[in-house]
mmCIF file of all heavy atoms in Angstrom:
data_model
loop_
_atom_site.group_PDB
_atom_site.id
_atom_site.type_symbol
_atom_site.label_atom_id
_atom_site.label_comp_id
_atom_site.label_asym_id
_atom_site.label_seq_id
_atom_site.Cartn_x
_atom_site.Cartn_y
_atom_site.Cartn_z
ATOM 1 N N TRP G 1186 8.963 3.819 7.959
ATOM 2 C CA TRP G 1186 9.180 3.024 6.755
ATOM 3 C C TRP G 1186 8.343 3.537 5.585
ATOM 4 O O TRP G 1186 8.780 3.483 4.430
ATOM 5 C CB TRP G 1186 8.869 1.558 7.022
ATOM 6 C CG TRP G 1186 9.879 0.891 7.895
ATOM 7 C CD1 TRP G 1186 9.759 0.569 9.208
ATOM 8 C CD2 TRP G 1186 11.191 0.473 7.516
ATOM 9 N NE1 TRP G 1186 10.904 -0.017 9.674
ATOM 10 C CE2 TRP G 1186 11.801 -0.104 8.651
ATOM 11 C CE3 TRP G 1186 11.916 0.525 6.326
ATOM 12 C CZ2 TRP G 1186 13.096 -0.610 8.630
ATOM 13 C CZ3 TRP G 1186 13.207 0.004 6.300
ATOM 14 C CH2 TRP G 1186 13.790 -0.552 7.444
ATOM 15 N N GLU G 1187 7.131 4.008 5.876
ATOM 16 C CA GLU G 1187 6.298 4.548 4.798
ATOM 17 C C GLU G 1187 6.903 5.825 4.231
ATOM 18 O O GLU G 1187 6.821 6.088 3.027
ATOM 19 C CB GLU G 1187 4.881 4.841 5.328
ATOM 20 C CG GLU G 1187 4.134 3.618 5.838
ATOM 21 C CD GLU G 1187 3.918 2.579 4.751
ATOM 22 O OE1 GLU G 1187 3.706 2.981 3.585
ATOM 23 O OE2 GLU G 1187 3.989 1.375 5.053
ATOM 24 N N LEU G 1188 7.536 6.612 5.091
ATOM 25 C CA LEU G 1188 8.074 7.902 4.666
ATOM 26 C C LEU G 1188 9.356 7.784 3.849
ATOM 27 O O LEU G 1188 9.779 8.763 3.226
ATOM 28 C CB LEU G 1188 8.331 8.791 5.902
ATOM 29 C CG LEU G 1188 7.084 9.183 6.708
ATOM 30 C CD1 LEU G 1188 7.484 9.941 7.966
ATOM 31 C CD2 LEU G 1188 6.130 10.018 5.861
ATOM 32 N N VAL G 1189 10.010 6.609 3.870
ATOM 33 C CA VAL G 1189 11.255 6.458 3.115
ATOM 34 C C VAL G 1189 11.052 5.675 1.822
ATOM 35 O O VAL G 1189 12.024 5.344 1.136
ATOM 36 C CB VAL G 1189 12.348 5.764 3.967
ATOM 37 C CG1 VAL G 1189 12.667 6.590 5.194
ATOM 38 C CG2 VAL G 1189 11.939 4.345 4.349
ATOM 39 N N LYS G 1190 9.813 5.383 1.472
ATOM 40 C CA LYS G 1190 9.545 4.641 0.243
ATOM 41 C C LYS G 1190 9.718 5.541 -0.977
ATOM 42 O O LYS G 1190 9.425 6.743 -0.924
ATOM 43 C CB LYS G 1190 8.149 4.042 0.275
ATOM 44 C CG LYS G 1190 8.021 2.890 1.262
ATOM 45 C CD LYS G 1190 6.642 2.296 1.249
ATOM 46 C CE LYS G 1190 6.594 1.074 2.179
ATOM 47 N NZ LYS G 1190 5.250 0.478 2.232
ATOM 48 N N PRO G 1191 10.171 4.982 -2.091
ATOM 49 C CA PRO G 1191 10.353 5.789 -3.303
ATOM 50 C C PRO G 1191 9.090 6.518 -3.736
ATOM 51 O O PRO G 1191 9.150 7.660 -4.187
ATOM 52 C CB PRO G 1191 10.783 4.750 -4.349
ATOM 53 C CG PRO G 1191 11.388 3.647 -3.570
ATOM 54 C CD PRO G 1191 10.626 3.588 -2.283
ATOM 55 N N SER G 1192 7.932 5.861 -3.590
ATOM 56 C CA SER G 1192 6.683 6.491 -4.019
ATOM 57 C C SER G 1192 6.363 7.721 -3.178
ATOM 58 O O SER G 1192 5.727 8.660 -3.657
ATOM 59 C CB SER G 1192 5.531 5.490 -3.929
ATOM 60 O OG SER G 1192 5.363 5.040 -2.593
ATOM 61 N N HIS G 1193 6.790 7.732 -1.907
ATOM 62 C CA HIS G 1193 6.530 8.885 -1.042
ATOM 63 C C HIS G 1193 7.523 10.014 -1.312
ATOM 64 O O HIS G 1193 7.147 11.189 -1.349
ATOM 65 C CB HIS G 1193 6.599 8.471 0.428
ATOM 66 C CG HIS G 1193 6.360 9.609 1.387
ATOM 67 N ND1 HIS G 1193 5.101 10.015 1.752
ATOM 68 C CD2 HIS G 1193 7.234 10.428 2.032
ATOM 69 C CE1 HIS G 1193 5.198 11.042 2.581
ATOM 70 N NE2 HIS G 1193 6.485 11.306 2.768
ATOM 71 N N LEU G 1194 8.782 9.651 -1.518
ATOM 72 C CA LEU G 1194 9.806 10.677 -1.716
ATOM 73 C C LEU G 1194 9.763 11.286 -3.113
ATOM 74 O O LEU G 1194 10.125 12.448 -3.303
ATOM 75 C CB LEU G 1194 11.192 10.074 -1.455
ATOM 76 C CG LEU G 1194 11.456 9.601 -0.020
ATOM 77 C CD1 LEU G 1194 12.817 8.935 0.075
ATOM 78 C CD2 LEU G 1194 11.371 10.755 0.964
ATOM 79 N N GLY G 1195 9.320 10.491 -4.092
ATOM 80 C CA GLY G 1195 9.227 11.005 -5.452
ATOM 81 C C GLY G 1195 10.561 11.500 -5.972
ATOM 82 O O GLY G 1195 11.587 10.822 -5.909
ATOM 83 N N ALA G 1196 10.565 12.744 -6.479
ATOM 84 C CA ALA G 1196 11.784 13.320 -7.050
ATOM 85 C C ALA G 1196 12.842 13.612 -5.995
ATOM 86 O O ALA G 1196 14.007 13.847 -6.321
ATOM 87 C CB ALA G 1196 11.445 14.601 -7.807
ATOM 88 N N ASN G 1197 12.450 13.584 -4.722
ATOM 89 C CA ASN G 1197 13.391 13.896 -3.634
ATOM 90 C C ASN G 1197 14.158 12.673 -3.131
ATOM 91 O O ASN G 1197 14.917 12.784 -2.178
ATOM 92 C CB ASN G 1197 12.640 14.532 -2.463
ATOM 93 C CG ASN G 1197 12.032 15.869 -2.830
ATOM 94 O OD1 ASN G 1197 12.646 16.650 -3.562
ATOM 95 N ND2 ASN G 1197 10.824 16.139 -2.340
ATOM 96 N N LYS G 1198 13.935 11.527 -3.739
ATOM 97 C CA LYS G 1198 14.611 10.332 -3.237
ATOM 98 C C LYS G 1198 16.105 10.402 -3.531
ATOM 99 O O LYS G 1198 16.537 10.978 -4.540
ATOM 100 C CB LYS G 1198 14.005 9.076 -3.854
ATOM 101 C CG LYS G 1198 14.209 8.932 -5.347
ATOM 102 C CD LYS G 1198 13.505 7.678 -5.847
ATOM 103 C CE LYS G 1198 13.715 7.506 -7.346
ATOM 104 N NZ LYS G 1198 13.015 6.303 -7.843
ATOM 105 N N PRO G 1199 16.941 9.825 -2.664
ATOM 106 C CA PRO G 1199 18.401 9.880 -2.842
ATOM 107 C C PRO G 1199 18.849 9.139 -4.100
ATOM 108 O O PRO G 1199 18.129 8.286 -4.631
ATOM 109 C CB PRO G 1199 18.930 9.193 -1.580
ATOM 110 C CG PRO G 1199 17.812 9.252 -0.599
ATOM 111 C CD PRO G 1199 16.557 9.191 -1.396
ATOM 112 N N SER G 1200 20.044 9.418 -4.519
ATOM 113 C CA SER G 1200 20.577 8.804 -5.738
ATOM 114 C C SER G 1200 20.823 7.305 -5.568
ATOM 115 O O SER G 1200 20.849 6.567 -6.557
ATOM 116 C CB SER G 1200 21.884 9.498 -6.144
ATOM 117 O OG SER G 1200 22.847 9.397 -5.091
ATOM 118 N N TRP G 1201 21.011 6.841 -4.322
ATOM 119 C CA TRP G 1201 21.269 5.412 -4.106
ATOM 120 C C TRP G 1201 19.998 4.577 -4.063
ATOM 121 O O TRP G 1201 20.053 3.366 -3.878
ATOM 122 C CB TRP G 1201 22.081 5.197 -2.827
ATOM 123 C CG TRP G 1201 21.530 5.855 -1.590
ATOM 124 C CD1 TRP G 1201 21.790 7.127 -1.164
ATOM 125 C CD2 TRP G 1201 20.629 5.280 -0.632
ATOM 126 N NE1 TRP G 1201 21.118 7.372 0.019
ATOM 127 C CE2 TRP G 1201 20.394 6.264 0.369
ATOM 128 C CE3 TRP G 1201 20.005 4.049 -0.508
ATOM 129 C CZ2 TRP G 1201 19.563 6.040 1.455
ATOM 130 C CZ3 TRP G 1201 19.173 3.815 0.574
ATOM 131 C CH2 TRP G 1201 18.960 4.806 1.547
ATOM 132 N N TYR G 1202 18.855 5.188 -4.257
ATOM 133 C CA TYR G 1202 17.588 4.453 -4.309
ATOM 134 C C TYR G 1202 17.475 3.744 -5.665
ATOM 135 O O TYR G 1202 17.064 4.331 -6.663
ATOM 136 C CB TYR G 1202 16.417 5.415 -4.142
ATOM 137 C CG TYR G 1202 15.890 5.543 -2.740
ATOM 138 C CD1 TYR G 1202 16.745 5.742 -1.668
ATOM 139 C CD2 TYR G 1202 14.521 5.488 -2.474
ATOM 140 C CE1 TYR G 1202 16.269 5.877 -0.385
ATOM 141 C CE2 TYR G 1202 14.024 5.624 -1.186
ATOM 142 C CZ TYR G 1202 14.901 5.814 -0.140
ATOM 143 O OH TYR G 1202 14.417 5.942 1.134
ATOM 144 N N ASN G 1203 17.829 2.483 -5.723
ATOM 145 C CA ASN G 1203 17.644 1.695 -6.939
ATOM 146 C C ASN G 1203 16.743 0.498 -6.654
ATOM 147 O O ASN G 1203 17.008 -0.629 -7.030
ATOM 148 C CB ASN G 1203 18.987 1.236 -7.507
ATOM 149 C CG ASN G 1203 19.738 0.333 -6.551
ATOM 150 O OD1 ASN G 1203 19.475 0.343 -5.336
ATOM 151 N ND2 ASN G 1203 20.669 -0.443 -7.061
ATOM 152 N N PHE G 1204 15.669 0.733 -5.929
ATOM 153 C CA PHE G 1204 14.734 -0.317 -5.530
ATOM 154 C C PHE G 1204 13.331 0.268 -5.508
ATOM 155 O O PHE G 1204 13.139 1.486 -5.565
ATOM 156 C CB PHE G 1204 15.100 -0.883 -4.154
ATOM 157 C CG PHE G 1204 15.449 0.169 -3.129
ATOM 158 C CD1 PHE G 1204 14.447 0.846 -2.439
ATOM 159 C CD2 PHE G 1204 16.771 0.490 -2.854
ATOM 160 C CE1 PHE G 1204 14.765 1.813 -1.499
ATOM 161 C CE2 PHE G 1204 17.092 1.457 -1.917
ATOM 162 C CZ PHE G 1204 16.087 2.125 -1.234
ATOM 163 N N ASP G 1205 12.340 -0.616 -5.417
ATOM 164 C CA ASP G 1205 10.953 -0.172 -5.387
ATOM 165 C C ASP G 1205 10.400 -0.248 -3.967
ATOM 166 O O ASP G 1205 11.097 -0.603 -3.017
ATOM 167 C CB ASP G 1205 10.095 -0.989 -6.359
ATOM 168 C CG ASP G 1205 10.093 -2.471 -6.031
ATOM 169 O OD1 ASP G 1205 10.602 -2.840 -4.946
ATOM 170 O OD2 ASP G 1205 9.589 -3.258 -6.839
ATOM 171 N N ASP G 1206 9.109 0.092 -3.831
ATOM 172 C CA ASP G 1206 8.486 0.131 -2.507
ATOM 173 C C ASP G 1206 8.442 -1.245 -1.849
ATOM 174 O O ASP G 1206 8.586 -1.362 -0.634
ATOM 175 C CB ASP G 1206 7.066 0.685 -2.616
ATOM 176 C CG ASP G 1206 7.045 2.181 -2.867
ATOM 177 O OD1 ASP G 1206 8.110 2.786 -3.068
ATOM 178 O OD2 ASP G 1206 5.955 2.740 -2.858
ATOM 179 N N ALA G 1207 8.210 -2.273 -2.648
ATOM 180 C CA ALA G 1207 8.100 -3.613 -2.073
ATOM 181 C C ALA G 1207 9.404 -4.044 -1.425
ATOM 182 O O ALA G 1207 9.407 -4.752 -0.422
ATOM 183 C CB ALA G 1207 7.686 -4.622 -3.149
ATOM 184 N N TRP G 1208 10.540 -3.640 -2.001
ATOM 185 C CA TRP G 1208 11.824 -4.007 -1.396
ATOM 186 C C TRP G 1208 11.992 -3.333 -0.043
ATOM 187 O O TRP G 1208 12.585 -3.903 0.874
ATOM 188 C CB TRP G 1208 12.979 -3.627 -2.327
ATOM 189 C CG TRP G 1208 14.258 -4.310 -1.943
ATOM 190 C CD1 TRP G 1208 14.587 -5.618 -2.133
ATOM 191 C CD2 TRP G 1208 15.388 -3.713 -1.285
ATOM 192 N NE1 TRP G 1208 15.847 -5.876 -1.646
ATOM 193 C CE2 TRP G 1208 16.369 -4.728 -1.121
ATOM 194 C CE3 TRP G 1208 15.679 -2.429 -0.830
ATOM 195 C CZ2 TRP G 1208 17.590 -4.502 -0.522
ATOM 196 C CZ3 TRP G 1208 16.913 -2.194 -0.233
ATOM 197 C CH2 TRP G 1208 17.854 -3.222 -0.079
ATOM 198 N N VAL G 1209 11.468 -2.123 0.116
ATOM 199 C CA VAL G 1209 11.495 -1.450 1.416
ATOM 200 C C VAL G 1209 10.744 -2.282 2.439
ATOM 201 O O VAL G 1209 11.199 -2.469 3.575
ATOM 202 C CB VAL G 1209 10.880 -0.035 1.316
ATOM 203 C CG1 VAL G 1209 10.836 0.624 2.699
ATOM 204 C CG2 VAL G 1209 11.674 0.824 0.351
ATOM 205 N N ASP G 1210 9.571 -2.811 2.043
ATOM 206 C CA ASP G 1210 8.796 -3.648 2.957
ATOM 207 C C ASP G 1210 9.536 -4.936 3.304
ATOM 208 O O ASP G 1210 9.496 -5.407 4.435
ATOM 209 C CB ASP G 1210 7.439 -3.980 2.345
ATOM 210 C CG ASP G 1210 6.485 -2.803 2.377
ATOM 211 O OD1 ASP G 1210 6.367 -2.170 3.443
ATOM 212 O OD2 ASP G 1210 5.866 -2.504 1.341
ATOM 213 N N GLU G 1211 10.214 -5.503 2.318
ATOM 214 C CA GLU G 1211 10.991 -6.713 2.583
ATOM 215 C C GLU G 1211 12.144 -6.431 3.548
ATOM 216 O O GLU G 1211 12.424 -7.232 4.446
ATOM 217 C CB GLU G 1211 11.530 -7.278 1.273
ATOM 218 C CG GLU G 1211 10.502 -7.974 0.417
ATOM 219 C CD GLU G 1211 11.172 -8.774 -0.675
ATOM 220 O OE1 GLU G 1211 11.558 -8.173 -1.694
ATOM 221 O OE2 GLU G 1211 11.335 -9.995 -0.504
ATOM 222 N N VAL G 1212 12.829 -5.310 3.338
ATOM 223 C CA VAL G 1212 13.939 -4.941 4.233
ATOM 224 C C VAL G 1212 13.404 -4.699 5.634
ATOM 225 O O VAL G 1212 14.018 -5.101 6.631
ATOM 226 C CB VAL G 1212 14.672 -3.695 3.700
ATOM 227 C CG1 VAL G 1212 15.655 -3.161 4.730
ATOM 228 C CG2 VAL G 1212 15.404 -4.037 2.414
ATOM 229 N N ARG G 1213 12.252 -4.061 5.725
ATOM 230 C CA ARG G 1213 11.622 -3.834 7.034
ATOM 231 C C ARG G 1213 11.359 -5.154 7.739
ATOM 232 O O ARG G 1213 11.645 -5.319 8.924
ATOM 233 C CB ARG G 1213 10.318 -3.069 6.811
ATOM 234 C CG ARG G 1213 9.474 -2.854 8.053
ATOM 235 C CD ARG G 1213 8.181 -2.178 7.640
ATOM 236 N NE ARG G 1213 7.370 -1.812 8.781
ATOM 237 C CZ ARG G 1213 6.235 -1.133 8.672
ATOM 238 N NH1 ARG G 1213 5.805 -0.749 7.496
ATOM 239 N NH2 ARG G 1213 5.536 -0.833 9.748
ATOM 240 N N ARG G 1214 10.824 -6.108 6.982
ATOM 241 C CA ARG G 1214 10.558 -7.427 7.543
ATOM 242 C C ARG G 1214 11.852 -8.131 7.925
ATOM 243 O O ARG G 1214 11.939 -8.803 8.960
ATOM 244 C CB ARG G 1214 9.780 -8.258 6.519
ATOM 245 C CG ARG G 1214 9.388 -9.644 6.991
ATOM 246 C CD ARG G 1214 8.646 -10.396 5.889
ATOM 247 N NE ARG G 1214 9.507 -10.623 4.726
ATOM 248 C CZ ARG G 1214 9.101 -11.224 3.606
ATOM 249 N NH1 ARG G 1214 7.843 -11.620 3.498
ATOM 250 N NH2 ARG G 1214 9.926 -11.405 2.603
ATOM 251 N N GLY G 1215 12.911 -7.985 7.092
ATOM 252 C CA GLY G 1215 14.194 -8.609 7.393
ATOM 253 C C GLY G 1215 14.827 -8.068 8.660
ATOM 254 O O GLY G 1215 15.339 -8.822 9.490
ATOM 255 N N TRP G 1216 14.785 -6.728 8.835
ATOM 256 C CA TRP G 1216 15.330 -6.151 10.067
ATOM 257 C C TRP G 1216 14.493 -6.574 11.270
ATOM 258 O O TRP G 1216 15.018 -6.743 12.379
ATOM 259 C CB TRP G 1216 15.380 -4.624 9.967
ATOM 260 C CG TRP G 1216 16.501 -4.105 9.132
ATOM 261 C CD1 TRP G 1216 16.411 -3.376 7.985
ATOM 262 C CD2 TRP G 1216 17.907 -4.278 9.367
ATOM 263 N NE1 TRP G 1216 17.657 -3.091 7.490
ATOM 264 C CE2 TRP G 1216 18.595 -3.630 8.315
ATOM 265 C CE3 TRP G 1216 18.640 -4.922 10.354
ATOM 266 C CZ2 TRP G 1216 19.984 -3.597 8.234
ATOM 267 C CZ3 TRP G 1216 20.025 -4.897 10.267
ATOM 268 C CH2 TRP G 1216 20.681 -4.244 9.229
ATOM 269 N N GLY G 1217 13.190 -6.747 11.054
ATOM 270 C CA GLY G 1217 12.348 -7.251 12.144
ATOM 271 C C GLY G 1217 12.768 -8.641 12.569
ATOM 272 O O GLY G 1217 12.794 -8.965 13.759
ATOM 273 N N ALA G 1218 13.119 -9.495 11.581
ATOM 274 C CA ALA G 1218 13.607 -10.836 11.905
ATOM 275 C C ALA G 1218 14.898 -10.767 12.697
ATOM 276 O O ALA G 1218 15.103 -11.521 13.659
ATOM 277 C CB ALA G 1218 13.808 -11.637 10.616
ATOM 278 N N CYS G 1219 15.798 -9.853 12.299
ATOM 279 C CA CYS G 1219 17.056 -9.695 13.047
ATOM 280 C C CYS G 1219 16.773 -9.274 14.484
ATOM 281 O O CYS G 1219 17.491 -9.667 15.418
ATOM 282 C CB CYS G 1219 17.951 -8.668 12.361
ATOM 283 S SG CYS G 1219 18.594 -9.214 10.754
ATOM 284 N N GLY G 1220 15.719 -8.466 14.681
ATOM 285 C CA GLY G 1220 15.328 -8.084 16.037
ATOM 286 C C GLY G 1220 14.911 -9.283 16.857
ATOM 287 O O GLY G 1220 15.231 -9.397 18.051
ATOM 288 N N VAL G 1221 14.202 -10.226 16.221
ATOM 289 C CA VAL G 1221 13.811 -11.460 16.913
ATOM 290 C C VAL G 1221 15.048 -12.238 17.349
ATOM 291 O O VAL G 1221 15.120 -12.772 18.457
ATOM 292 C CB VAL G 1221 12.920 -12.330 15.990
ATOM 293 C CG1 VAL G 1221 12.723 -13.724 16.581
ATOM 294 C CG2 VAL G 1221 11.568 -11.665 15.768
ATOM 295 N N PHE G 1222 16.057 -12.290 16.478
ATOM 296 C CA PHE G 1222 17.258 -13.069 16.783
ATOM 297 C C PHE G 1222 18.038 -12.504 17.961
ATOM 298 O O PHE G 1222 18.800 -13.227 18.604
ATOM 299 C CB PHE G 1222 18.177 -13.138 15.555
ATOM 300 C CG PHE G 1222 17.530 -13.732 14.339
ATOM 301 C CD1 PHE G 1222 17.914 -13.330 13.075
ATOM 302 C CD2 PHE G 1222 16.527 -14.676 14.464
ATOM 303 C CE1 PHE G 1222 17.322 -13.863 11.949
ATOM 304 C CE2 PHE G 1222 15.917 -15.214 13.347
ATOM 305 C CZ PHE G 1222 16.318 -14.808 12.084
ATOM 306 N N MET G 1223 17.879 -11.224 18.243
ATOM 307 C CA MET G 1223 18.604 -10.617 19.352
ATOM 308 C C MET G 1223 18.173 -11.188 20.700
ATOM 309 O O MET G 1223 18.893 -11.063 21.692
ATOM 310 C CB MET G 1223 18.404 -9.100 19.345
ATOM 311 C CG MET G 1223 19.024 -8.370 18.163
ATOM 312 S SD MET G 1223 20.830 -8.613 18.024
ATOM 313 C CE MET G 1223 20.909 -9.808 16.665
ATOM 314 N N TRP G 1224 17.003 -11.814 20.743
ATOM 315 C CA TRP G 1224 16.523 -12.439 21.984
ATOM 316 C C TRP G 1224 17.069 -13.855 22.159
ATOM 317 O O TRP G 1224 17.113 -14.380 23.270
ATOM 318 C CB TRP G 1224 14.997 -12.501 21.996
ATOM 319 C CG TRP G 1224 14.302 -11.179 22.000
ATOM 320 C CD1 TRP G 1224 14.218 -10.285 20.971
ATOM 321 C CD2 TRP G 1224 13.582 -10.583 23.086
ATOM 322 N NE1 TRP G 1224 13.493 -9.187 21.340
ATOM 323 C CE2 TRP G 1224 13.087 -9.340 22.631
ATOM 324 C CE3 TRP G 1224 13.295 -10.986 24.389
ATOM 325 C CZ2 TRP G 1224 12.332 -8.501 23.437
ATOM 326 C CZ3 TRP G 1224 12.539 -10.153 25.196
ATOM 327 C CH2 TRP G 1224 12.070 -8.921 24.724
ATOM 328 N N VAL G 1225 17.439 -14.473 21.047
ATOM 329 C CA VAL G 1225 17.776 -15.900 21.063
ATOM 330 C C VAL G 1225 19.004 -16.245 21.908
ATOM 331 O O VAL G 1225 19.051 -17.337 22.498
ATOM 332 C CB VAL G 1225 17.924 -16.414 19.611
ATOM 333 C CG1 VAL G 1225 18.364 -17.876 19.580
ATOM 334 C CG2 VAL G 1225 16.606 -16.253 18.861
ATOM 335 N N PRO G 1226 20.056 -15.383 21.997
ATOM 336 C CA PRO G 1226 21.187 -15.745 22.864
ATOM 337 C C PRO G 1226 20.785 -16.074 24.291
ATOM 338 O O PRO G 1226 21.453 -16.889 24.944
ATOM 339 C CB PRO G 1226 22.071 -14.486 22.818
ATOM 340 C CG PRO G 1226 21.793 -13.881 21.489
ATOM 341 C CD PRO G 1226 20.322 -14.134 21.250
#
């Protein structure tokens, strides 16, 4: 997750990167929540 942040990639970041580093952390946390839900069934 640290390696895919805009601040790390700099000029090499993909064209679809229209977000900042904090959003990466939020997405990381969101996918972590989805991982928790996989146990609930």
Side-chain angles (χ1 to χ4, degrees):
W1186 289 104
E1187 298 299 325
L1188 296 175
V1189 299
K1190 289 181 176 178
S1192 61
H1193 179 84
L1194 296 176
N1197 296 321
K1198 66 183 181 181
S1200 59
W1201 52 272
Y1202 265 48
N1203 62 339
F1204 44 82
D1205 60 10
D1206 287 6
W1208 196 74
V1209 177
D1210 285 313
E1211 285 193 280
V1212 170
R1213 175 184 186 176
R1214 182 181 64 182
W1216 283 118
C1219 292
V1221 169
F1222 302 150
M1223 293 301 103
W1224 296 71
V1225 176

